[in-house]
Amino acid sequence: MSENNAIMQGGSVTESCVLQISDLHKSYGSHPALEGVSFSIPRGKIVGLLGPNGCGKSTIMKMISGLLPADNGSILIDGHLPGLVSKSIVSYLPERTYLNDWMKVSEVLQFFSDFYADFDLERAQQMLADLHLSPNTRLKTMSKGTMSRRAQLYLLDEPIGGVDPAAREYILNTILKNFDESSSILITTHLIQDVEAIFDQVLFLNQGKIVIDGEVDEIRQQHGKSIDRLFREVFKC
């Protein structure tokens, strides 16, 4: 199927949305991971994709980034199917790094500079200075963090998992400081209380289905409680 035909079948592209997902299905063998997931992300929004372990959050991230194919349904990133074009406008930070832990920070910066045309080396070097990290530091001695690209869609899978509170605050401040109205961010996290203040929209995912999708302020007003409290009640945790 050509990209144009797939786009037409998936519906018209909404210019204000950087991501559109429609009726997405994915199974691993006989186990369904996603069952008819549909949602969209407008430009200039920070969106939380929230749910318990095994509900399909990382599967969605990998499918958007082009690492996993869909069984059925459609994914459009700025009007493009996952592929070569979308990879140039999507920045994916997985929960587990794909970099070798023996690499030095300076080597990682060089790798990203060579691999990504939109990698902002100057911004990355400023982040190192802010965190008082030496370019000679090896990854195996560091907590999880972020790198610098000028993407349209950022996919951050547990970006503050396993980091100390000071680094956690810096990462969140960096997210707020460095994205603009032409880009959007999709974040998965279990540390909802620490992160919900930066969310514009949240999606609750349970057993492969979206059970809540809405603007954060509207959800808080409707339910009379924080996103973290609502999450704990919905998922009994």
Side-chain angles (χ1 to χ4, degrees):
M1 181 186 299
S2 70
E3 180 169 319
N4 287 337
N5 286 339
I7 290 174
M8 290 301 293
Q9 289 184 9
S12 60
V13 176
T14 303
E15 292 183 0
S16 61
C17 291
V18 69
L19 175 68
Q20 292 180 293
I21 289 179
S22 178
D23 197 30
L24 199 62
H25 290 259
K26 181 66 180 178
S27 295
Y28 298 107
S30 60
H31 175 69
L34 300 175
E35 299 185 81
V37 168
S38 298
F39 66 89
S40 61
I41 296 180
R43 294 186 184 278
K45 299 293 184 179
I46 299 178
V47 180
L49 179 60
L50 311 176
N53 288 333
C55 70
K57 302 186 302 295
S58 292
T59 294
I60 289 176
M61 291 282 202
K62 291 175 182 177
M63 294 174 75
I64 296 170
S65 65
L67 297 177
L68 281 177
D71 293 339
N72 287 292
S74 66
I75 300 173
L76 294 177
I77 304 124
D78 194 31
H80 301 281
L81 299 174
L84 291 177
V85 174
S86 70
K87 288 179 185 297
S88 68
I89 57 178
V90 173
S91 179
Y92 174 44
L93 177 71
E95 183 175 6
R96 294 180 177 83
T97 181
Y98 50 86
L99 299 168
N100 294 310
D101 62 7
W102 49 260
M103 295 178 73
K104 295 180 180 179
V105 171
S106 58
E107 294 172 324
V108 174
L109 296 186
Q110 185 60 55
F111 171 81
F112 277 94
S113 294
D114 292 342
F115 198 79
Y116 296 108
D118 61 355
F119 184 74
D120 191 331
L121 179 60
E122 182 178 350
R123 184 164 70 173
Q125 290 172 332
Q126 183 59 55
M127 289 180 183
L128 293 179
D130 291 343
L131 288 171
H132 307 290
L133 293 175
S134 167
N136 294 319
T137 302
R138 295 192 184 276
L139 294 188
K140 64 182 178 182
T141 67
M142 299 171 61
S143 297
K144 183 178 179 181
T146 58
M147 288 294 175
S148 302
R149 284 186 58 196
R150 298 287 185 182
Q152 293 187 40
L153 178 62
Y154 296 88
L155 307 175
L156 309 182
D157 197 351
E158 297 289 346
I160 61 173
V163 302
D164 59 75
R168 188 180 302 169
E169 183 178 358
Y170 175 79
I171 291 171
L172 294 178
N173 287 337
T174 300
I175 289 172
L176 289 174
K177 179 181 177 181
N178 290 291
F179 102 104
D180 56 45
E181 292 185 358
S182 65
S183 62
S184 295
I185 303 174
L186 182 63
I187 301 176
T188 71
T189 184
H190 287 95
L191 301 172
I192 300 170
Q193 186 174 17
D194 293 325
V195 184
E196 73 166 272
I198 73 171
F199 288 152
D200 299 300
Q201 174 186 346
V202 291
L203 306 157
F204 280 15
L205 186 68
N206 191 28
Q207 298 181 345
K209 299 178 181 179
I210 298 291
V211 294
I212 292 179
D213 176 3
E215 296 288 326
V216 166
D217 290 342
E218 293 179 0
I219 292 174
R220 288 195 187 111
Q221 184 176 13
Q222 178 184 355
H223 294 275
K225 59 195 67 174
S226 69
I227 300 301
D228 179 64
R229 180 65 180 274
L230 179 62
F231 179 90
R232 293 175 186 275
E233 291 185 2
V234 170
F235 298 107
K236 309 298 182 184
C237 56

